[in-house]
Amino acid sequence: ERNSKKLENILYIGSGYVGSLSAPQCSLKSDVKFVVYDINEKLIKKWQDNKELPFFEPQLKEIYQKALTIGNI
């Protein structure tokens, strides 16, 4: 018998280009909470301030805002 425990959180280690782009996008498609961890405090601070994102990709700011609004990131 499979464990039917529901997945609630996913941790991304590294808020570089891959983690920071995939976590917001995935959070829009799921009710799972996504957390991003990085040892670079300056990078995390940029994400938390939400004024100037550390990376540019088309629509990233809008996707990130939406993920913050629904509370999955």
Side-chain angles (χ1 to χ4, degrees):
E1 183 175 306
R2 295 185 113 184
N3 185 353
S4 62
K5 188 173 181 180
K6 183 181 173 206
L7 182 65
E8 296 178 10
N9 298 295
I10 293 178
L11 171 65
Y12 278 82
I13 298 176
S15 63
Y17 202 75
V18 174
S20 61
L21 298 179
S22 58
Q25 185 65 39
C26 291
S27 73
L28 296 180
K29 309 281 187 208
S30 171
D31 60 351
V32 174
K33 175 133 178 128
F34 289 80
V35 177
V36 180
Y37 171 81
D38 201 299
I39 60 171
N40 184 339
E41 292 179 26
K42 290 179 183 178
L43 195 55
I44 292 294
K45 185 77 173 150
K46 283 186 176 184
W47 285 107
Q48 290 174 337
D49 287 348
N50 194 24
K51 294 176 185 161
E52 181 183 336
L53 298 182
F55 302 102
F56 174 79
E57 279 294 322
Q59 300 179 339
L60 176 60
K61 188 164 182 119
E62 293 83 6
I63 291 169
Y64 186 64
Q65 286 289 354
K66 205 181 264 188
L68 286 175
T69 300
I70 61 175
N72 281 358
I73 195 164

